[in-house]
């Protein structure tokens, strides 16, 4: 179609009314219409301002002639696309003589009735002012982000939702991430969980305007898992409406400062521990000989507590008399400080207790110096030289050493580890703890007796001692556990070598009177300073590593890793909460339907334990049930589950909907000597028909020995059904099934998951079902999630199905409604 022009400027083109012309001429945009030959057929008045040309004079002239070849080379390609039938635009520099401007142009093709391009509408806007502002803004941003990127301290821009918008090189180096990796994370991902709540609370205060900025010392996680101490400064940038735009964070790595503080704290702690644990009395003073501290032995020998003695003159607290003449003896510390030297007591001297009795003592006094050598105080070290002291020392030795092996006991281990860490720190070396535990030591006592068990412990202690040298220490931690302290290692690899030596020595150990003993041990290793710098934490990490070593199989060693600690901490938190879960009514049973493979009718249900708090699942069964088993909590919880399931089944039975209920039994429960009694009591108490209860056991439980077989038969005689859960994942063989009174097999979901597409899995599953049916065992498939899986299993011979396809686990009330809705119909 031809263009509709707003006003008549050329006799050859009719245009509309005068008001339209005035509007187009008044707009600050170059408006023009070019014909198919790129000649002007219309130009508004703005051309006069831009080009200094009367718009009428432009009519009929070629665009190149008007704008010049230099401008045409710039904007021409976009114009040519318009003539090819595409709406296009151009933004860039254009020239008018020596003057240049930035323009934005839109080129729209005009089509005739036949759909052919017959011209182009053009509109150019002068954006020079906007371009100048953009350049200024860009330069400002470049200066800011240049300073941001190359700042010596870590910097980050963070969205109000917590994810990172921009991070600089310093913060990436600080935390060990690449920029693209860090931008995928948020504050919670890298913040130590103990510090997260405080950080988020301060961010919230920034967002609400309660504060303008804040500073915080916190710990962020390095990519390799270790914690990085940082000093954080945060402020908030808001948009024009005052809404939070992003947080600006500055982070400085203060790990070295924290390490120095920790080292200083450790030295102080070590000094205090040493003063409290040594057999000598110690009193410290300032330069004016006013008392600053007493250790426990000094408190006992003088009768003064530290709090009472602080600030008092030394002569008031430490009163000395000549033993022969009962005359006052000059305090040796005064002489030591005056002469800046060590002074010992001469002759036989008595220390008078606060309550008047005297004790013979020996004493040494010395000045205390600062790093520059200036005297800043004094110290008195003295001890009781009477016969009672010898007896006291023997008593102390008995309380600090294991009577069986003569080794330092657990009470002394902490101070020994502290001294070892201080030694390693001074030498800038590693130290390590080896936590050793005898594998299956309970069996040694059961097979050979307590006396021979003690002989084994003494022999093992002696054998381990043979592998130690110098200031390396062996301590009996308790029971059949020992701890080796290695105070100086050049490399972490040395600890592994020492463990290998220990494993070999233990395996070759022979004990008189204990024939055919093959002693095996597991060892957990923690390393200073890599794993921890505090004795207690290092001991905990070694114990955690020992648990991991035992979990991977007997007779080996494992180094502590951060992931072990996270698991251990999480486990302890779950265990602590689980201890309260029953009394707080947080545990409940959900019921998942089992259906007949042919009809789809509900023929049973499995009771599944759930842990909810205020309707929210706190932990999954996979998380908390293993912890319950390890801690022994599974016994009361398992008893509660069995009782609840039987009561519920009995309630449905009374309502005329008798339905078998299956309950999972933990190995810890099943192997308890009183399990059958508990089961019998629950059935009697609930009144449930025994045939409506099915116990689901694992293959390992069934294969655990003759005693188990006897228990299985008793349970069967009671009328309770037995099924083998997760069949195919454990130890049991189909050929053994005829020896056990098992009613049903449950095919594990690991087989069902790949059906029917995986050929090998399909063949194995068919074979299991066929052999089980030949032994007259019912076959139940669990984990069925699709129609295709169900059809395959049905045709293969499964009698019952269970899985999300037939129904999710649900509370008892919902399951009851399901029974009422479809009493005899298929699901």
């Amino acid at each position: 179609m031809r263009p509709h022009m707003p006003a008549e400027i050329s006799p050859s083109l009719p245009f509309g009314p005068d008001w339209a012309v005035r509007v187009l001429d008044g707009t600050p945009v170059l408006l023009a219409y070019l014909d198919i030959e790129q000649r002007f057929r219309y130009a508004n008045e703005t051309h006069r301002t831009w080009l200094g040309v009367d718009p009428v004079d432009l009519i009929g002239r070629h665009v190149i002639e008007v704008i010049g070849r230099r401008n045409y080379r710039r904007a021409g390609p976009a114009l040519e696309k318009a003539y090819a039938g595409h709406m296009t635009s151009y933004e860039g520099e254009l020239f008018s003589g020596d003057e240049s401007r930035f323009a934005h142009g839109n080129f729209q093709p005009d089509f005739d009735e036949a759909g052919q391009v017959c011209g182009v509408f053009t509109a150019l806007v002068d954006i020079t002012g906007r371009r100048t502002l953009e350049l200024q803004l860009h330069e400002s941003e470049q200066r800011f982000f240049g300073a941001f990127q190359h700042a010596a301290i870590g910097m980050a821009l963070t969205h109000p939702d917590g994810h990172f918008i921009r991070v600089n090189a310093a913060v990436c180096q600080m935390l060990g991430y690449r920029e693209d990796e860090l931008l995928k994370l948020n504050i919670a991902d890298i913040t130590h969980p103990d510090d997260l709540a405080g950080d988020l609370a301060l961010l919230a205060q920034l967002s609400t305007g309660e504060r303008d900025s804040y500073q915080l010392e916190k710990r962020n996680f390095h990519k390799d898992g270790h914690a990085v101490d940082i000093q954080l400064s945060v402020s908030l940038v808001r948009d024009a409406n005052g809404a939070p735009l992003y947080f600006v964070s500055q982070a400085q790595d203060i790990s070295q400062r924290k390490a120095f503080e920790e080292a200083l704290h450790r030295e102080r702690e070590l000094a205090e521990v040493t003063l409290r644990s040594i057999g000598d009395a110690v009193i410290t003073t300032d330069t004016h000989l006013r008392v600053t501290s007493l250790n426990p032995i000094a408190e006992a020998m003088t009768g003064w507590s530290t709090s009472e003695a602080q600030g008092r003159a030394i002569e008031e607290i430490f009163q000395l008399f000549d033993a022969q003449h009962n005359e006052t003896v000059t305090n040796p510390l005064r002489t030591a400080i005056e002469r800046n030297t060590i002074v010992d007591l001469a002759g036989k001297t008595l220390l008078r207790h606060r309550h008047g009795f005297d004790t013979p003592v020996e004493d040494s006094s010395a000045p205390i110096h600062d790093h520059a050598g200036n005297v800043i105080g004094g110290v008195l070290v003295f001890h009781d030289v009477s016969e009672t002291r010898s007896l006291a020392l023997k008593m102390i030795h008995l309380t600090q050493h294991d009577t069986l092996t003569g080794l330092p006991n657990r009470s002394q281990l902490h101070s020994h580890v502290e001294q070892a860490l201080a030694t390693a720190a001074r030498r800038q070396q590693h130290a390590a703890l080896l936590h050793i535990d005898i594998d299956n030591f309970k069996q040694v006592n059961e097979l050979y007796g307590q006396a021979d068990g003690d002989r084994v412990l003494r022999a093992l202690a002696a054998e381990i001692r043979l592998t130690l040298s110098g200031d390396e220490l062996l301590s009996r931690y308790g029971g059949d556990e020992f701890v080796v302290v290695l105070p100086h290692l050049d490399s972490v690899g040395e600890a592994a070598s020492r463990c290998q030596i220990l494993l070999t020595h233990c395996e070759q150990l022979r004990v008189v009177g204990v024939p055919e003993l093959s002693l095996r041990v597991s060892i957990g290793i923690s390393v200073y300073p890599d794993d921890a710098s505090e004795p207690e934490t290092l001991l905990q990490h070694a114990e955690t590593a020992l648990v991991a070593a035992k979990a991977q199989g007997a007779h080996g060693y494992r180094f502590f890793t951060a992931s072990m600690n996270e698991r251990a901490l999480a486990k302890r938190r779950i265990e602590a909460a689980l201890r309260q879960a029953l009394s707080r009514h947080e545990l409940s049973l959900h019921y998942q339907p089992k259906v007949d493979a042919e009809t789809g009718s509900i023929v049973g249900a499995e009771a599944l334990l759930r842990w909810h708090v205020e309707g929210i699942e706190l932990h999954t069964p996979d998380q908390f049930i293993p912890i319950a088993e390890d801690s022994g909590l599974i016994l009361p919880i398992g008893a509660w589950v069995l009782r609840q399931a039987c009561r519920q089944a009995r309630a449905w039975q009374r309502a005329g909907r008798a339905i078998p209920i299956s309950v999972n039994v933990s190995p810890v429960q099943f192997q308890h000597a009183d399990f059958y009694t508990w089961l019998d009591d629950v059935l009697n108490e609930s009144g449930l028909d025994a045939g409506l209860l099915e116990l689901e056991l694992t293959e390992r439980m069934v294969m655990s020995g003759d005693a188990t077989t006897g228990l299985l038969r008793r349970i069967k005689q009671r009328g309770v059904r037995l099924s083998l859960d997760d069949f195919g994942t454990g130890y049991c063989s189909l050929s053994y099934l005829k020896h056990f009174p098992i009613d049903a097999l449950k095919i594990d979901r690991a087989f069902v998951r790949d059906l029917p597409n995986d050929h090998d899995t399909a063949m194995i599953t068919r074979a299991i079902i066929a052999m089980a049916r030949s032994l007259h065992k019912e076959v139940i498939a669990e984990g069925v999630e699709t129609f295709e899986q169900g059809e395959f299993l049905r045709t293969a011979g499964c009698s019952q199905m269970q899985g999300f396809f037939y129904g999710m686990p649900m509370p008892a009330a919902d399951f009851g409604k399901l029974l009422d809705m479809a009493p005899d119909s298929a699901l």
Side-chain angles (χ1 to χ4, degrees):
M1 296 180 61
R2 301 295 299 169
H4 177 68
M5 293 302 193
E8 185 175 354
I9 294 180
S10 169
S12 61
L13 292 172
F15 294 101
D18 291 342
W19 65 267
V21 174
R22 288 196 298 273
V23 169
L24 295 176
D25 285 343
T27 185
V29 179
L30 290 180
L31 299 176
Y33 181 82
L34 305 176
D35 64 15
I36 194 63
E37 295 177 351
Q38 297 190 11
R39 295 182 183 278
F40 282 90
R41 287 291 175 257
Y42 167 75
N44 70 348
E45 187 64 24
T46 309
H47 284 75
R48 188 189 305 278
T49 307
W50 273 44
L51 304 177
V53 178
D54 189 332
V56 176
D57 295 339
L58 295 177
I59 305 305
R61 295 176 64 186
H62 198 282
V63 69
I64 295 179
E65 179 187 347
V66 174
I67 69 173
R69 292 189 179 279
R70 181 165 61 165
N71 286 335
Y72 191 81
R73 280 195 300 272
R74 292 173 176 270
L79 185 60
E80 293 295 340
K81 287 183 181 179
Y83 276 101
H86 307 288
M87 184 174 178
T88 58
S89 63
Y90 165 77
E91 185 167 304
E93 196 173 17
L94 295 177
F95 297 90
S96 178
D98 294 333
E99 183 182 4
S100 69
R101 291 174 177 271
F102 276 86
H104 178 86
N106 289 319
F107 306 129
Q108 180 175 339
D110 183 28
F111 300 94
D112 60 17
E113 289 81 355
Q116 300 297 314
V117 175
C118 57
V120 173
F121 293 100
T122 68
L124 272 78
V125 181
D126 185 352
I127 60 169
T128 303
R130 191 192 83 187
R131 174 70 175 178
T132 302
L133 289 174
E134 287 176 349
L135 287 174
Q136 290 173 348
L137 178 60
H138 180 71
E139 289 173 2
S140 175
E141 288 177 343
Q142 286 297 106
R143 286 194 297 271
F144 169 75
F145 285 114
F148 176 93
Q149 185 64 24
H150 301 294
I153 62 173
M155 297 191 71
L157 304 184
T158 310
H159 191 274
D161 69 6
H163 78 264
F164 294 109
I165 302 171
R166 189 172 185 121
V167 292
N168 73 347
V171 80
C172 289
Q173 183 179 10
M174 188 186 302
L175 299 178
Y177 289 96
R178 297 193 311 272
E179 182 178 358
D180 62 304
E181 293 175 328
L182 206 47
L183 292 179
K184 294 176 184 176
L185 304 177
N186 59 41
I187 293 172
D189 293 329
I190 64 168
T191 299
H192 193 287
D194 293 345
D195 299 340
L196 182 59
D199 197 7
L200 293 180
L202 290 170
L203 285 173
Q205 291 177 16
L206 279 187
S207 298
T208 58
E210 294 178 53
R211 58 170 69 229
D212 297 325
S213 62
Y214 71 84
Q215 290 191 342
L216 174 71
E217 287 188 7
K218 60 175 289 195
R219 290 162 293 176
N220 280 353
F221 285 121
H222 191 276
K223 184 180 178 180
D224 66 12
H226 80 267
V228 179
D229 289 286
I230 64 169
Q231 174 75 47
L232 185 68
S233 300
V234 185
S235 56
L236 175 63
V237 175
R238 299 180 182 273
D239 63 18
N241 298 320
L245 200 57
Y246 55 82
F247 297 105
V248 180
S249 303
Q250 299 179 40
Q252 187 173 0
D253 188 344
I254 58 171
S255 298
Q256 190 174 36
R257 191 197 83 194
K258 282 288 187 181
F260 288 147
E261 290 175 355
E262 287 294 324
L264 179 60
H265 175 72
R266 193 163 56 246
E267 289 290 342
R268 287 176 177 168
E269 284 289 309
L270 179 59
E272 287 189 20
V273 169
T274 302
L275 289 177
R276 289 181 177 277
S277 60
I278 63 174
D280 288 345
V282 181
I283 300 177
T284 60
T285 72
D286 60 18
T287 53
H288 300 291
L289 276 83
R290 290 189 294 264
V291 173
T292 54
S293 71
L294 291 82
N295 75 345
I297 301 295
E299 289 181 333
M301 291 184 67
T302 62
W304 292 85
S305 67
T306 294
S307 59
E308 293 174 317
Q310 279 178 338
R312 295 178 182 267
I314 186 64
E315 283 86 0
E316 183 179 356
I317 307 303
F318 191 64
Q319 299 181 19
L320 297 176
F321 295 87
D322 178 82
Q324 186 173 359
H325 305 290
N326 201 30
E327 295 177 352
T328 302
V329 174
T330 302
N331 196 298
L333 185 58
R334 188 172 296 279
T335 305
I337 290 179
E338 289 173 353
R339 298 180 181 177
N340 193 18
T341 187
I342 297 173
V343 176
D344 294 328
L345 277 175
K348 294 181 179 180
T349 308
L350 301 175
L351 169 65
R352 183 151 298 169
H353 190 274
R354 184 180 185 180
H355 299 304
F357 58 85
D358 297 335
T359 303
V361 294
E362 291 180 351
D363 166 277
S364 180
S365 305
I368 301 173
H369 302 95
D370 63 13
H371 66 280
N374 301 311
V375 175
I376 58 172
V379 59
L380 277 164
V381 181
F382 54 99
H383 59 262
D384 181 352
V385 293
S386 65
E387 293 180 2
T388 56
R389 172 177 166 77
S390 176
L391 177 60
L393 290 177
K394 289 178 182 177
M395 292 174 64
I396 291 171
H397 180 84
L398 286 174
T399 61
Q400 295 178 348
H401 290 76
D402 172 46
T403 54
L404 179 66
T405 62
L407 296 174
N409 62 22
R410 192 169 183 167
S411 68
Q412 285 296 288
L413 184 58
H414 189 282
S415 61
H416 287 311
V417 173
E418 205 156 23
Q419 292 169 19
L421 301 192
T423 301
R426 284 196 302 272
R427 298 179 179 180
Q428 295 186 332
Q429 290 180 311
H430 289 90
L433 301 184
L434 313 181
H435 195 137
I436 304 168
D437 180 72
I438 302 175
D439 297 327
N440 302 316
F441 183 68
K442 182 181 179 183
Q443 294 181 4
V444 175
N445 278 331
E446 289 174 351
L447 288 172
Y448 300 104
Q450 179 86 34
D452 285 339
D454 288 348
R455 271 196 288 273
V456 170
L457 290 173
R458 283 194 293 269
L460 177 62
E463 192 69 22
I464 295 174
R465 273 201 190 111
L466 293 176
T467 69
L468 304 182
S469 61
D471 52 357
E472 295 170 350
L473 175 81
L474 174 62
S475 174
R476 187 179 180 194
Y477 198 67
D480 61 330
E481 297 179 42
F482 299 85
V483 173
V484 172
V485 182
L486 305 177
H488 45 83
L489 300 172
D490 292 324
S491 69
V492 175
E494 283 187 54
S497 300
R498 298 297 292 275
C499 285
Q500 197 57 57
I501 293 170
L502 282 170
L503 292 174
T504 303
H505 274 255
C506 292
E507 194 171 13
Q508 296 173 352
L509 179 66
R510 296 293 176 263
V511 181
V512 177
V514 189
E516 300 179 3
L517 175 69
S518 179
L519 200 63
R520 292 173 173 266
V521 300
S522 296
I523 306 174
I525 312 167
S526 62
V527 178
Y528 166 88
D530 302 17
D531 299 329
S533 56
E534 293 294 330
E536 193 60 39
T537 307
L538 207 63
L539 283 164
Q540 289 173 3
H541 289 348
E543 189 170 0
T544 299
L546 172 63
V547 173
K550 283 186 166 295
Q552 75 175 4
H555 204 56
Y557 62 86
R558 283 287 299 274
F559 280 92
F560 171 80
T561 64
S563 60
M564 289 180 191
N565 193 40
E566 290 166 10
R567 288 195 296 270
L569 288 173
K571 179 180 176 181
R572 285 196 288 270
R573 284 195 293 268
I574 292 173
E575 181 180 337
L578 193 57
R579 290 186 181 278
Q580 308 297 323
L582 268 179
S583 61
R584 292 174 178 171
H585 307 291
E586 295 171 354
L587 298 180
S588 62
L589 292 184
H590 283 203
Y591 298 85
Q592 186 172 33
K594 295 179 182 178
V595 303
D596 184 277
E598 293 295 334
T599 67
S601 300
I602 300 176
V603 293
E606 181 178 2
L608 298 167
L609 184 61
R610 295 294 184 264
W611 186 0
H612 289 88
V613 176
E614 297 179 355
I616 300 172
E617 188 172 42
L618 192 61
H619 297 288
T620 66
D622 287 342
Q623 291 173 324
F624 71 84
I625 288 179
I627 293 171
E629 290 179 332
D630 289 344
S631 63
L633 290 171
I634 196 65
L635 293 176
I637 291 173
W640 178 85
V641 168
L642 191 59
R643 187 176 299 107
Q644 285 294 110
C646 288
R647 285 175 177 173
Q648 184 59 63
R650 176 58 176 154
W652 283 327
Q653 185 183 9
R654 286 199 195 98
R657 295 307 310 238
I659 184 170
I661 298 294
S662 61
V663 177
N664 290 280
V665 178
S666 161
V668 179
Q669 284 177 276
F670 192 70
Q671 290 163 8
H672 196 282
D674 294 326
F675 177 76
Y676 181 84
T677 302
W678 297 339
L679 174 65
D680 189 59
D681 288 346
V682 167
L683 287 170
N684 291 331
E685 173 192 317
S686 65
L688 179 69
D689 290 346
L692 293 178
L693 176 64
E694 179 176 290
L695 301 182
E696 295 192 6
L697 312 174
T698 66
E699 294 180 27
R700 184 192 293 266
M701 292 159 62
V702 170
M703 297 287 290
S704 59
D706 293 337
T708 299
T709 305
L711 176 58
L712 291 173
R713 291 200 174 100
R714 290 185 69 194
I715 294 171
K716 275 298 296 175
Q717 288 167 3
R718 184 65 172 82
V720 176
R721 286 173 52 84
L722 296 170
S723 66
L724 204 56
D725 196 18
D726 301 337
F727 185 81
T729 63
Y731 300 97
C732 202
S733 166
L734 280 164
S735 62
Y736 293 157
L737 286 178
K738 58 187 177 184
H739 301 297
F740 302 115
I742 299 296
D743 299 290
L745 304 182
K746 293 191 75 174
I747 298 177
D748 185 70
R749 65 185 65 245
F751 292 94
V752 176
R753 182 181 58 236
D754 297 325
L755 295 176
N757 300 321
D758 186 274
H759 177 70
D760 291 337
T761 302
M763 287 182 60
I764 293 170
T765 304
R766 282 196 186 98
I768 290 174
I769 294 171
M771 293 182 69
R773 289 178 68 86
S774 71
L775 295 171
H776 308 291
K777 307 294 183 186
E778 195 170 8
V779 183
I780 305 166
E782 61 180 351
V784 182
E785 296 183 0
T786 67
F787 173 79
E788 291 77 10
Q789 290 171 346
E791 274 300 287
F792 174 89
L793 291 161
R794 183 185 64 79
T795 57
C798 265
S799 53
Q800 292 183 22
M801 308 286 193
Q802 180 183 346
F804 291 168
F805 181 72
Y806 302 105
M808 301 281 284
M810 61 193 78
D814 293 341
F815 192 86
K817 292 176 184 176
L818 186 64
L819 291 175
D820 293 335
M821 288 168 54
D824 297 304
S825 62
L827 282 178

